[in-house]
């Protein structure tokens, strides 16, 4: 089979997997739709959150920023990651304990203030819009590249797939599709990193390979700083 045929096959299998998971985990109540029935295992939730971090808006954008800006672009990576940690530690657990479905509802209830609820609503819309724009840009670029379709068509395909499983499964369906995405992404990221580390430093563990020396005796990090 040709490369184009393999591409269509893999993309089609991925779409079928996501839609199948959404159908299997479809929401049957309001609780399922908004908070996945509050029955998601912590490890599963962590995998879903990690997949969300490794999405088009984060991974592709961060790779592009670091590629164009050099080492200084890594500050955006730390800010993005730090925001996830703060959200997970300071907001997510209490949102669940309060039994609220949205962040503005929780903020308003927690601080007994409709003004605080309004500010949280505006912030949530602003952040969500910015994130979705980045996501859809990444989706359009990826689909235009892999499927040989115009950018606008790639965006519409991505919107259609996300709309289908989000409406069908709600947060429950999205969580499990994110778990499937995590498995795909972590494999796709780890395998090249391992072989690049072996090729450059003879160390199969990329994290340790970063601190290793190259064949000419220079440290890998020193070499990267010169690029």
């Amino acid at each position: 089979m040709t490369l184009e045929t393999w591409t269509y096959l893999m993309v089609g299998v991925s779409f079928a997997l996501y839609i199948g998971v959404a159908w299997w985990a479809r929401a049957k109540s309001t609780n399922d739709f908004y908070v996945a029935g509050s029955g998601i295992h912590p490890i599963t939730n962590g995998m879903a959150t990690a997949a969300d971090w490794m999405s088009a808006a984060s991974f592709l954008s961060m790779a592009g920023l670091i590629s164009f800006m050099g080492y200084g672009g890594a500050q955006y990576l730390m800010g993005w990651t730090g925001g996830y940690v703060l959200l997970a530690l300071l907001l997510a657990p209490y949102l669940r304990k309060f039994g609220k479905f949205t962040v503005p509802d929780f903020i308003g209830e927690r601080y007994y203030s409709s003004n605080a609820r309004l500010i949280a609503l505006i912030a949530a819309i602003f952040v969500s819009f910015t994130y979705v724009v980045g996501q859809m840009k990444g989706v359009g670029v990826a689909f235009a590249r892999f499927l040989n379709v115009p950018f606008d068509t790639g965006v519409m395909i991505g919107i259609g797939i996300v709309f289908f499983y989000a409406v069908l499964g709600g947060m429950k369906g999205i969580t499990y599709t994110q778990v499937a995405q995590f498995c795909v992404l972590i494999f796709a990221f780890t395998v090249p990193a391992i072989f690049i580390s072996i090729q450059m430093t003879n160390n199969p563990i990329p994290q340790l390979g970063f601190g290793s020396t190259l064949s000419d005796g220079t440290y890998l990090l020193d070499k990267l700083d010169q690029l």
Side-chain angles (χ1 to χ4, degrees):
M1 289 192 291
T2 64
L3 179 60
E4 185 177 3
T5 303
W6 273 110
T7 301
Y8 279 108
L9 178 63
M10 296 305 297
V11 172
V13 169
S14 299
F15 284 171
L17 174 64
Y18 290 157
I19 293 173
V21 169
W23 180 262
W24 167 75
R26 59 189 183 277
K28 299 179 177 64
S29 66
T30 304
N31 201 42
D32 280 347
F33 192 85
Y34 282 107
V35 292
S38 299
I40 302 296
H41 191 277
I43 293 179
T44 304
N45 232 342
M47 293 170 69
T49 304
D52 207 27
W53 187 97
M54 297 185 293
S55 59
S58 55
F59 180 76
L60 293 181
S61 299
M62 293 303 112
L65 282 171
I66 294 172
S67 176
F68 281 103
M69 297 177 63
Y71 185 77
Q75 60 187 319
Y76 292 94
L77 176 65
M78 298 307 298
W80 194 282
T81 306
Y84 261 91
V85 174
L86 289 175
L87 188 64
L89 292 178
L90 303 180
L91 191 61
Y94 305 101
L95 179 68
R96 179 170 181 172
K97 288 179 181 178
F98 266 70
K100 298 299 180 182
F101 292 139
T102 66
V103 171
D105 282 342
F106 163 69
I107 295 294
E109 185 80 14
R110 174 65 180 81
Y111 295 101
Y112 311 104
S113 171
S114 57
N115 290 332
R117 184 176 185 273
L118 179 61
I119 293 172
L121 175 63
I122 294 172
I125 291 175
F126 177 77
V127 171
S128 298
F129 180 79
T130 305
Y131 181 76
V132 168
V133 168
Q135 286 283 68
M136 290 300 106
K137 175 69 174 180
V139 166
V141 170
F143 284 171
R145 174 82 175 186
F146 294 142
L147 301 180
N148 291 322
V149 296
F151 173 80
D152 295 344
T153 303
V155 171
M156 295 307 297
I157 293 173
I159 290 175
I161 295 295
V162 173
F163 178 82
F164 180 84
Y165 71 70
V167 170
L168 184 66
M171 185 56 67
K172 187 177 180 182
I174 289 174
T175 299
Y176 284 112
T177 54
Q178 290 287 78
V179 171
Q181 181 175 322
F182 170 84
C183 296
V184 173
L185 288 174
I186 204 69
F187 179 81
F189 293 162
T190 304
V191 170
I194 289 174
F195 280 95
I196 290 173
S197 182
I198 293 174
Q199 186 180 39
M200 298 184 70
T201 66
N202 292 321
N203 193 323
I205 304 176
Q207 291 85 347
L208 298 180
F210 264 118
S212 302
T213 56
L214 303 176
S215 56
D216 59 1
T218 60
Y219 280 100
L220 175 59
L221 285 176
D222 290 338
K223 186 73 173 180
L224 290 175
D225 286 340
Q226 297 171 13
L227 295 179

